[in-house]
Amino acid sequence: MNILLSEAPGGPESLILTTAAKPEPGPGEVRIRVRMVGINYPDTLVIEDRYQIRPPRPFAPGGEFVGEIDALGAGVERLSVGQRVMALPLWGAMAEWVCVAADKCHPVPEGVSLEAAASLQMTYGTSLYALEERGGLKAGETVVVLGAAGGIGLASVELAKHLGAKVIACVSSEEKAQTARDHGADEVLIYPAGPLDRDAAKEFSNGLKALTGARGADIVVDAVGGSYSEPALRCMAWGGRFLIVGFPAGIAQIPANLPLLKSCDIRGIFWGAAVERDPEANRKAMQRLLALCQAGHIRPRIDRVYPLSEGGAAIASLSARGVRGKVLVAL
């Protein structure tokens, strides 16, 4: 089978397309013919040994995927050959066949495309966990989303709107602004694409204050970090929740007096660890997201689909800041 491997720490250009024997499922596992792999920011980190988890090499990147089961290991009962499933191995998905534990598979219902199923787990799963479990979102609250045209950003826009919030999307271009509007954003604020200097940061903060009004933002979903975090934190409502999801723009240096003055919380969102700690809660969340997708309440936007031979380019594209929605690899 064809497989894309990371044999040494490095960027996307270090990945090697090669062949390997088709794996055999062990007890409690299923073998899946991979059809579509979802690419996420952690894929850029894991191949450089900068992620929280470092898999032993060689390994294939690719943290989430969808495909059809073609073999069952001993003891597997609730799944069947030919069934469409999505799974979240965290790495290993950029291969034509993958073996995973049966209890980590989620059946994909009719009416949900392969592209949508490959886009749901990490971005929408993270966003749902952030907004509800960590953010305690209530209908009528105001949610500000940084990086609102990216994978987690658009998922947060859609889910926050579905949950009854007023959504303010923050993006770096008019093109991205329109994408956010198309997915339900009530208001849009465009900030500079590069690191913010003092004047740009103040302008960003003032723009947010104008949109959030005297009350401020009840929740900020920060999937950007860097120089964007502090200006957004200055716009929090009393008792607000600032949710740290990621930091592709760098780890923010936040003055400790700000959460004191706002009496607000800064909360970390480590969804992957939450899944490991409570797999049953994640199973229910995936069923809920699949149902929302099937009913058309959420609509994952696919930016581009790459072939496996260009899997490195797919990962590299996430650092280009031009992606709107989800990047996929088709096998």
Side-chain angles (χ1 to χ4, degrees), residues 18 31 41 74 91 100 108 118 143 151 154 167 174 180 286 292 305 309:
T18 185
R31 186 175 66 205
Y41 181 60
W91 65 84
V100 297
V108 177
V143 175
L154 274 182
V167 180
E174 179 55 44
M286 291 303 109
L292 287 173
V305 180
S309 60

Side-chain angles (χ1 to χ4, degrees), residues 87-155:
L88 186 85
L90 296 182
W91 65 84
M94 286 209 203
E96 289 182 301
W97 280 270
V98 172
C99 291
V100 297
D103 61 7
K104 293 185 180 295
C105 295
H106 308 282
V108 177
E110 293 296 325
V112 177
S113 69
L114 291 174
E115 291 83 359
S119 305
L120 284 178
Q121 293 180 90
M122 198 165 286
T123 52
Y124 285 85
T126 298
S127 298
L128 185 63
Y129 171 70
L131 291 167
E132 286 196 332
E133 297 300 318
R134 299 293 289 145
L137 174 62
K138 303 178 182 65
E141 291 189 317
T142 296
V143 175
V144 169
V145 181
L146 307 189
I152 284 179
L154 274 182

